[in-house]
Amino acid sequence: MDNTINHITGRGTEVWMATRNGVIIYDSKAEDMQQFSTRDGLPHNNINQIFIDSKGRGWVATTSNRLYFIKDRKLSLGYEIQYYTKKNEFRAITEDTNGELWAVTYGNGLYHFASDSIYNYTTWDGMISDYCYSIESDMANNIWIGHRLGFSRFIKGDNLILTYGRELGITSDCNPNSIFMEKEGAVIFGTTGGIIRYDASLDKGSRIPPISNITSISFSDRVVDLSEDIILPFDKYKLNIEFIGLSYRNPEMVTYQYKLENYDQEWSEMTRFPMVTYGIADGEYTFLLRSYNRDWQTSEEPLSVHFIVRKPYWKTWWFITTLVIVVLGSVILIIKIRERNHKKLQAFLQKSLDERTREVVEQKEEIEQKNREITDSINYAQRIQASILPPLQKLRENFPGFFVFYMPRDIVSGDFYWFDKVGKDRFIIVCADSTGHGVPGAFMSMIGATLIKDIVNRQDIVKPSQILTTLDTEITETLNQNIEAEQSTDGMDIIVCEINTATRKVGFASAMRPVIFYHNGEQIYLKGNRSSVGGEIIEAKVFEDQEFQLSEGDIIYMFSDGYPDQFGGPLGKKYKMVRLKNLLDDVYLKSMEEQYEYVKNNFELWKSDFEQVDDILFMAIKM
């Protein structure tokens, strides 16, 4: 057993010890001892505290960007913090009455681990310090945190932080894990100078709000006398206002809120900085100031200062009236001249217009006829393309769940899917994105689907990588891509997935497209090979097989680049792969029908009024 023990807790006959060499659990009844350290998966051996929550999980406070917990003598991963590059040194953990965890760190403040989010609170939010030593919660959902020379109180219902320090006579530091809640609601801190007992029900706070006062107003660095009316000649001024709120109990905790009428639409955010700067021009302004003490008390009426910047001469009534008369006279004169010239021109234009109109009508009718013929041809091509795609009934007969989200950008599509059962237990699924979209892409998709159907049924083709290699060769030969002069660069990005329906063993081979699947609840991201099928004339293209043993309930996702490349959202940017991964994390536990609706509706919501940039193909297969 390690000689240095930082914290001791327990449950039933078990004693849990946080040491400098990991976690030690001793069962006094079974006379059994178990130790957890970095060898067993802990991120660090120096354990500051162990907290056993209402579900019997022992949460470990140590240096890490993730919380770990022990249950049934097994170490598991908990909440992960992703937005800090520096690791957190967790000092202590507690649980509120709603069953949500709170943790304090040495340097990064307070964390609240809610059911679906993680929140961080620091000195920017009002805490007395980011360096914390202890934490506890009370029955009113107040979170108490110990610091050097004081402590903080987070009021969960109001999302408010109060601090207690030197103003209450606290001159010592809170010790690590030295905190206790009395049943009556008082909190006790063990400090380097003894015990501090604080009862919030007895603290009446300050009943007198701060007294607001303007200490200085300057316009472009010229200070004005506040005892006189402030009326300035027209100019553009740099307005600088300095102020103060007098509070004799907690002068350093005074916060301010201000508003410049005829300039600000709303009151400012709360601030402790006693100065504000504006850039103003002509107009009437009133500066309003509120000062708040630590208990958020303020005067009923804000302090106000009124001042005027005169208008320039071109905004005066006599200048505007003169200008209007001159403009109206000029407009009338111009209109008369234009009317005379217009009558002469109108006769000439009418004759030319009649001739041009007749020509345009004839051309319009001819163009409309050609457009109808082209559209009818494309619609017919779409019916041919749809007939080549395999029926979804084959997926329904072989898998417990699936969905296919297929949305061409134009009438016909360069994206296509193909699947069929080959042999007794071998099922092949293809997700492909041909070069281009519309009619050119549709030609490539029909060539690809025809070649794939032939290749898959050959006896010597037994792996997905062989399918891609053979398809690459035959597309190159079919499109004469080995001809140097004016060679074709058409090809496709494609995923070939082979599933053994009996054993659930899955093999992937991919050209330029990633595959995402969930195995036992964990997201796994596979990159494809860096060569397309066809298009490039490379001496040796290599397509690799990747094989995995999946389990019942695991889900495979395959998609073209149309979904992540779609522009949209509030900033008009691409959806990108990061958002797609997060989308799948949100939906993979839902039914396949719900997943289809979620993926489809999310795409429409993201695209909004933007044009669809490419064909969309998104497939999911459930084991």
Side-chain angles (χ1 to χ4, degrees):
M1 182 183 297
D2 194 276
N3 289 328
T4 302
I5 298 177
N6 297 324
H7 180 249
I8 297 178
T9 186
R11 182 187 64 173
T13 61
E14 292 182 340
V15 179
W16 297 54
M17 290 167 278
T19 76
R20 290 188 179 179
N21 196 29
V23 176
I24 297 176
I25 303 175
Y26 174 71
D27 191 329
S28 60
K29 183 177 181 180
E31 296 185 354
D32 173 52
M33 180 184 298
Q34 184 175 1
Q35 182 175 8
F36 294 88
S37 66
T38 54
R39 296 189 303 271
D40 305 292
L42 282 176
H44 203 280
N45 279 336
N46 186 27
I47 311 302
N48 295 312
Q49 186 228 26
I50 302 171
F51 176 76
I52 301 177
D53 66 10
S54 56
K55 297 179 181 179
R57 299 174 295 184
W59 294 90
V60 181
T62 186
T63 301
S64 175
N65 273 349
R66 180 191 289 273
L67 286 184
Y68 292 74
F69 67 88
I70 300 172
K71 186 175 183 182
D72 299 328
R73 299 295 184 94
K74 293 181 180 179
L75 180 66
S76 302
L77 301 178
Y79 301 99
E80 182 180 9
I81 301 172
Q82 299 180 341
Y83 50 86
Y84 267 108
T85 57
K86 182 174 70 174
K87 284 189 177 181
N88 293 283
E89 182 182 347
F90 291 101
R91 285 299 185 93
I93 304 171
T94 190
E95 182 181 26
D96 62 24
T97 56
N98 296 327
E100 297 178 344
L101 292 184
W102 300 72
V104 292
T105 67
Y106 191 72
N108 287 332
L110 170 70
Y111 283 98
H112 174 202
F113 299 92
S115 58
D116 58 353
S117 301
I118 299 176
Y119 303 95
N120 180 228
Y121 303 95
T122 64
T123 53
W124 287 99
D125 304 293
M127 289 185 61
I128 197 171
S129 172
D130 290 337
Y131 294 85
C132 312
Y133 298 94
S134 57
I135 187 171
E136 187 59 273
S137 64
D138 61 22
M139 297 304 296
N141 261 354
N142 293 311
I143 308 299
W144 301 85
I145 304 103
H147 309 278
R148 290 189 69 248
L149 302 175
F151 55 92
S152 300
R153 173 189 177 191
F154 185 94
I155 304 175
K156 185 178 179 183
D158 299 329
N159 204 34
L160 176 67
I161 297 177
L162 300 181
T163 59
Y164 309 84
R166 291 187 177 92
E167 75 277 2
L168 297 180
I170 299 175
T171 58
S172 54
D173 303 338
C174 294
N175 288 323
N177 300 319
S178 184
I179 185 171
F180 177 73
M181 293 300 307
E182 293 184 350
K183 293 182 179 180
E184 294 77 10
V187 59
I188 297 176
F189 290 92
T191 73
T192 56
I195 289 178
I196 295 177
R197 182 180 183 274
Y198 176 78
D199 191 342
S201 64
L202 302 179
D203 187 357
K204 303 305 180 183
S206 175
R207 299 180 182 274
I208 303 175
I211 301 173
S212 300
N213 189 27
I214 304 295
T215 59
S216 173
I217 295 182
S218 64
F219 294 85
S220 298
D221 299 327
R222 184 171 67 87
V223 179
V224 298
D225 187 352
L226 297 177
S227 62
E228 301 177 356
D229 292 339
I230 304 174
I231 302 177
L232 302 172
F234 168 74
D235 203 347
K236 292 184 178 179
Y237 293 96
K238 176 184 178 183
L239 171 63
N240 189 74
I241 304 176
E242 298 181 8
F243 43 83
I244 190 172
L246 300 176
S247 176
Y248 297 103
R249 178 172 181 180
N250 300 105
E252 72 279 1
M253 297 299 294
V254 174
T255 54
Y256 305 97
Q257 195 176 30
Y258 51 81
K259 177 182 179 182
L260 183 61
E261 292 187 340
N262 199 25
Y263 189 94
D264 292 325
Q265 296 295 324
E266 303 290 340
W267 284 85
S268 71
E269 298 292 333
M270 304 298 294
T271 179
R272 293 183 183 175
F273 191 61
M275 185 178 73
V276 63
T277 301
Y278 292 96
I280 61 173
D282 60 287
E284 293 191 24
Y285 302 92
T286 300
F287 181 73
L288 304 176
L289 175 66
R290 290 173 177 167
S291 301
Y292 297 82
N293 62 14
R294 193 197 70 178
D295 298 314
W296 302 102
Q297 294 173 319
T298 187
S299 301
E300 292 184 2
E301 294 295 330
L303 177 65
S304 64
V305 176
H306 183 75
F307 54 90
I308 299 174
V309 178
R310 294 186 186 276
K311 296 179 180 179
Y313 73 87
W314 58 84
K315 289 187 179 180
T316 58
W317 67 269
W318 58 266
F319 180 83
I320 295 174
T321 302
T322 303
L323 184 63
V324 169
I325 293 174
V326 172
V327 170
L328 286 176
S330 301
V331 169
I332 292 173
L333 179 61
I334 292 173
I335 290 175
K336 293 295 184 180
I337 296 174
R338 289 179 60 85
E339 284 181 350
R340 184 183 61 186
N341 295 334
H342 178 72
K343 289 179 180 179
K344 294 179 180 179
L345 182 63
Q346 186 174 13
F348 172 76
L349 292 178
Q350 185 63 44
K351 182 179 179 181
S352 300
L353 179 61
D354 293 340
E355 295 177 358
R356 290 292 184 183
T357 300
R358 178 173 49 80
E359 295 177 3
V360 169
V361 169
E362 293 175 354
Q363 293 175 356
K364 176 177 176 292
E365 292 176 351
E366 182 179 353
I367 292 173
E368 288 178 347
Q369 178 62 31
K370 291 181 178 180
N371 284 340
R372 283 193 294 270
E373 293 175 357
I374 293 172
T375 302
D376 291 343
S377 298
I378 295 175
N379 285 328
Y380 188 72
Q382 190 271 338
R383 291 194 294 272
I384 296 175
Q385 185 182 34
S387 66
I388 295 177
L389 298 177
L392 299 181
Q393 181 63 26
K394 290 185 179 181
L395 294 178
R396 193 172 290 110
E397 293 172 353
N398 289 275
F399 299 99
F402 72 93
F403 74 77
V404 177
F405 176 39
Y406 183 57
M407 178 184 283
R409 198 197 82 162
D410 303 311
I411 299 175
V412 290
S413 172
D415 291 3
F416 70 95
Y417 57 87
W418 187 90
F419 45 79
D420 201 359
K421 193 169 187 180
V422 182
K424 182 179 179 182
D425 299 319
R426 187 177 175 223
F427 200 94
I428 304 297
I429 302 175
V430 174
C431 175
D433 180 2
S434 303
T435 302
H437 45 75
V439 174
F443 275 115
M444 282 300 301
S445 69
M446 295 174 69
I447 292 172
T450 303
L451 293 176
I452 289 170
K453 182 176 181 181
D454 174 63
I455 293 169
V456 166
N457 288 284
R458 298 178 187 178
Q459 295 297 322
D460 58 335
I461 303 298
V462 295
K463 292 184 177 181
S465 61
Q466 293 177 324
I467 296 174
L468 291 185
T469 301
T470 306
L471 180 62
D472 177 67
T473 300
E474 297 198 2
I475 286 179
T476 301
E477 294 174 353
T478 301
L479 301 181
N480 294 323
Q481 292 179 337
N482 58 339
I483 300 175
E484 294 183 1
E486 299 181 359
Q487 66 177 19
S488 168
T489 59
D490 297 311
M492 61 185 68
D493 300 339
I494 182 170
I495 303 167
V496 177
C497 174
E498 178 181 339
I499 303 174
N500 189 308
T501 56
T503 64
R504 300 189 183 96
K505 186 174 182 180
V506 179
F508 299 101
S510 174
M512 298 292 290
R513 296 303 309 147
V515 178
I516 297 177
F517 66 91
Y518 282 82
H519 177 51
N520 295 330
E522 179 184 1
Q523 186 187 96
I524 299 176
Y525 179 85
L526 300 179
K527 293 183 178 180
N529 292 105
R530 301 304 299 172
S531 296
S532 297
V533 170
E536 306 171 290
I537 307 301
I538 300 176
E539 292 184 359
K541 292 184 182 179
V542 177
F543 300 105
E544 299 176 347
D545 289 300
Q546 301 183 68
E547 296 184 348
F548 298 89
Q549 180 62 54
L550 299 189
S551 306
E552 182 178 356
D554 291 349
I555 304 178
I556 301 170
Y557 297 94
M558 297 174 285
F559 44 87
S560 64
D561 59 2
Y563 203 105
D565 285 351
Q566 177 62 45
F567 288 95
L571 301 179
K573 294 186 176 181
K574 286 186 178 182
Y575 192 77
K576 292 189 176 180
M577 191 62 65
V578 173
R579 291 190 180 90
L580 184 57
K581 290 181 179 179
N582 293 334
L583 168 69
L584 295 180
D585 279 339
D586 292 338
V587 304
Y588 79 96
L589 293 177
K590 300 178 183 292
S591 69
M592 301 306 287
E593 292 78 10
E594 291 176 312
Q595 290 190 39
Y596 171 78
E597 293 297 330
Y598 197 101
V599 168
K600 177 182 177 182
N601 294 337
N602 179 76
F603 178 79
E604 294 293 346
L605 182 63
W606 176 264
K607 182 172 75 69
S608 185
D609 296 330
F610 288 85
E611 290 187 1
Q612 184 175 333
V613 298
D614 201 356
D615 302 319
I616 306 297
L617 175 58
F618 202 120
M619 306 175 66
I621 306 296
K622 187 174 184 180
M623 295 291 98

